[in-house]
Amino acid sequence: MSFKSMIRKFTAVMLALAVLTLTPGVNSNAITSSGNIAKGIDVSKYQGAIDWGAVARSGVKFAFIRVGSTYSGLDPTFDYNMRSAQANGIKTGVYIYSYATNAEQAAMEAVLVTQWLAAYQVQMPVVFDIEDKCHKDLSVAEINNIINSFCIIVDAAGYYPMVYSYKNFFQSKIGATPWDKWLAQFGDSLDYSSCSFWQYSSKGSVSGINGNVDLDYQYKDYSKLIIKDGFLDHNGSKRYYKDYKMQIGWVIHENSKYLFDPYGYMVKGWHADADGKMYYLSTSDGKAAIGATQIDNFTFYFDPSGAMQYGFIDYGKGMKYFDPLMNGAMSTTWFAYNGQMFYALSDGTVATGYQEIDGVPYYFEPDGSMAIGKEVTANKKQYMAGADGVLVEIIPEVPTDASGAPKKLDAETMAAMNGIDLSTLNPDQLAAFMTAVDNYNALIP
């Protein structure tokens, strides 16, 4: 798929989504300087070399810096202005002057801006400046398609989009828009619905700048909407930022792992990576499961990287088996491994030794495999394990004489027949055993 085809498809999908999820702003009374929360400026190459230290000392708190346009390319002063303004404590946003006349071109402008911003921290909105003569004959629907196309892609890249134009253009060509607004009207008041920024002069004078500069008031607080580091609520999900950059893929935060999709949204629930490894991200807070974890009444085991593990695992509570045939869930019943049968108890521990399962006796070797077709000793008795593993007790034969009559037995023979080691008996036990031998022999004629 070509780049243009990809942009066209992406734009169509995202515009459809915007219609469903975005709502218009709310009107308010006329705007004046009263109520502003900060004063700022917007600049470009036309302001020449700026002394940002002097600008900061003059009381300027923010600046919108022209990143460029598709006609002239990157503004030659952009890098200096961004880095110097930030170095002097001035928060920076950016704007692009648009020449887009359709949604596809606006999408390409958005992609271009995100590429230009890759090496910078953007602490304020990314602004779409739509006011050129090429826009004058477009309909309201066409203008809004252009705006939505740009803003949706900028938002998907992790930035906060905003629209700039002059008041009359907003009234006649834009109308209601879900995006934050920066309006230009020069004077003491702005007779318009609510906005986030108002450009109230194009002939301002600020220390550190030679000549005129645009002056702006800020009315909306972005301190919890554009953050440097950490989690940010967004469209019903969460994103994660580091140095003002939205993160995708795996993120470690306070010793826990989280996963974010290509649009920066937190992944929850089961996730398979490109290598087929399975992960589980908590449906409540998105943390990757580590170690033994209960999920929907089943227990699974995840290694320190968060990848689900299969097979025999001893994590300090006895050997368990995590069955690939059960999608990695811990077994609590019969299971097969390498052609042998095993049994896991109700707590998942792999059974060893003599076990009665549903009233039927079995014997499991030290490695947990079920004994088949062999004699085993358990509970001081001899058993034969059948082909199905079921134990049948072997009854010792009583020695007889030449005529077939039972013979009297000495203590050693009696002990051997019953699996008793006389050396392990204490005096009372030995006396009781000898009495039993005498009682048996008394029955023999």
Side-chain angles (χ1 to χ4, degrees):
M1 183 184 294
S2 69
F3 175 74
K4 287 188 176 181
S5 298
M6 179 183 70
I7 288 294
R8 188 179 299 111
K9 182 176 181 181
F10 178 79
T11 302
V13 172
M14 296 305 284
L15 289 177
L17 180 63
V19 172
L20 296 174
T21 61
L22 300 174
T23 56
V26 178
N27 291 343
S28 68
N29 296 325
I31 299 166
T32 66
S33 60
S34 176
N36 79 82
I37 61 175
K39 296 178 181 180
I41 58 176
D42 54 277
V43 300
S44 68
K45 65 182 180 180
Y46 300 110
Q47 274 66 53
I50 297 174
D51 180 349
W52 285 100
V55 172
R57 290 190 294 273
S58 74
V60 167
K61 300 300 181 183
F62 68 88
F64 284 104
I65 297 171
R66 182 176 179 267
V67 65
S69 73
T70 52
Y71 279 11
S72 60
L74 183 69
D75 189 299
T77 63
F78 175 71
D79 180 76
Y80 169 76
N81 284 338
M82 283 290 284
R83 298 186 190 279
S84 297
Q86 291 179 2
N88 284 279
I90 296 174
K91 287 194 170 184
T92 56
V94 304
Y95 71 93
I96 181 174
Y97 188 90
S98 176
Y99 293 99
T101 56
N102 57 52
E104 182 180 350
Q105 291 175 3
M108 296 180 71
E109 286 184 337
V111 171
L112 183 61
V113 168
T114 61
Q115 292 172 345
W116 279 338
L117 296 181
Y120 301 91
Q121 294 183 1
V122 182
Q123 305 157 329
M124 298 286 275
V126 172
V127 183
F128 189 59
D129 181 350
I130 182 165
E131 58 175 315
D132 192 72
K133 61 183 180 181
C134 69
H135 301 123
K136 298 232 177 1
D137 294 330
L138 299 179
S139 68
V140 171
E142 289 172 325
I143 291 293
N144 277 280
N145 282 343
I146 290 170
I147 291 171
N148 290 340
S149 177
F150 178 90
C151 291
I152 289 169
I153 292 175
V154 165
D155 176 82
Y159 300 102
Y160 196 104
M162 184 167 67
V163 183
Y164 168 92
S165 196
Y166 52 93
K167 186 192 80 168
N168 290 341
F169 195 87
F170 266 103
Q171 290 177 324
S172 63
K173 290 293 186 179
I174 299 177
T177 179
W179 310 105
D180 286 7
K181 298 183 285 289
W182 175 15
L183 270 79
Q185 178 174 300
F186 307 138
D188 295 329
S189 66
L190 171 62
D191 186 16
Y192 191 75
S193 58
S194 62
C195 64
S196 300
F197 294 87
W198 170 29
Q199 185 187 78
Y200 64 92
S201 176
S202 62
K203 298 183 182 299
S205 177
V206 173
S207 296
I209 299 177
N210 293 322
N212 296 332
V213 64
D214 295 337
L215 302 180
D216 304 278
Y217 289 127
Q218 177 182 353
Y219 297 92
K220 183 171 182 175
D221 182 5
Y222 288 88
S223 61
K224 294 182 179 179
L225 300 173
I226 302 173
I227 62 172
K228 183 173 187 271
D229 298 300
F231 295 99
L232 179 68
D233 291 332
H234 188 79
N235 287 348
S237 183
K238 286 186 182 295
R239 288 175 167 177
Y240 190 84
Y241 286 80
K242 183 176 181 182
D243 292 330
Y244 290 101
K245 294 292 185 183
M246 182 183 76
Q247 304 296 296
I248 61 175
W250 288 105
V251 166
I252 297 178
H253 177 81
E254 294 182 352
N255 298 320
S256 294
K257 291 188 69 173
Y258 301 83
L259 181 62
F260 296 86
D261 71 16
Y263 297 107
Y265 292 114
M266 178 183 284
V267 176
K268 294 183 178 181
W270 288 102
H271 170 75
D273 69 9
D275 296 325
K277 293 181 179 179
M278 292 298 299
Y279 301 82
Y280 185 79
L281 297 310
S282 170
T283 55
S284 60
D285 60 13
K287 287 182 181 178
I290 303 293
T293 304
Q294 188 91 358
I295 304 169
D296 296 332
N297 299 318
F298 294 95
T299 301
F300 300 83
Y301 190 83
F302 302 87
D303 70 12
S305 75
M308 187 170 70
Q309 301 298 293
Y310 304 90
F312 291 98
I313 298 173
D314 186 349
Y315 53 90
K317 296 185 177 181
M319 188 64 71
K320 317 288 184 182
Y321 184 72
F322 295 86
D323 197 340
L325 299 180
M326 294 176 60
N327 297 319
M330 183 178 72
S331 179
T332 55
T333 186
W334 290 100
F335 64 90
Y337 179 78
N338 280 352
Q340 296 177 298
M341 292 302 299
F342 297 77
Y343 186 79
L345 305 177
S346 59
D347 67 351
T349 302
V350 176
T352 58
Y354 180 89
Q355 301 286 339
E356 289 193 8
I357 302 171
D358 296 328
V360 179
Y362 298 88
Y363 184 84
F364 298 90
E365 304 288 0
D367 67 357
S369 60
M370 184 179 71
I372 295 176
K374 62 182 294 189
E375 290 187 20
V376 297
T377 301
N379 303 328
K380 299 180 179 179
K381 295 180 180 180
Q382 290 295 113
Y383 297 89
M384 172 58 73
D388 59 359
V390 175
L391 299 182
V392 177
E393 185 178 356
I394 300 172
I395 307 299
E397 294 185 4
V398 177
T400 58
D401 59 19
S403 66
K407 291 172 58 176
K408 293 187 177 184
L409 303 177
D410 56 29
E412 288 75 11
T413 302
M414 179 71 80
M417 290 176 60
N418 288 277
I420 296 172
D421 183 355
L422 294 178
S423 66
T424 64
L425 303 181
N426 63 37
D428 290 338
Q429 292 171 329
L430 183 59
F433 178 77
M434 295 306 296
T435 298
V437 173
D438 291 341
N439 290 340
Y440 171 81
N441 287 331
L443 298 174
I444 305 301

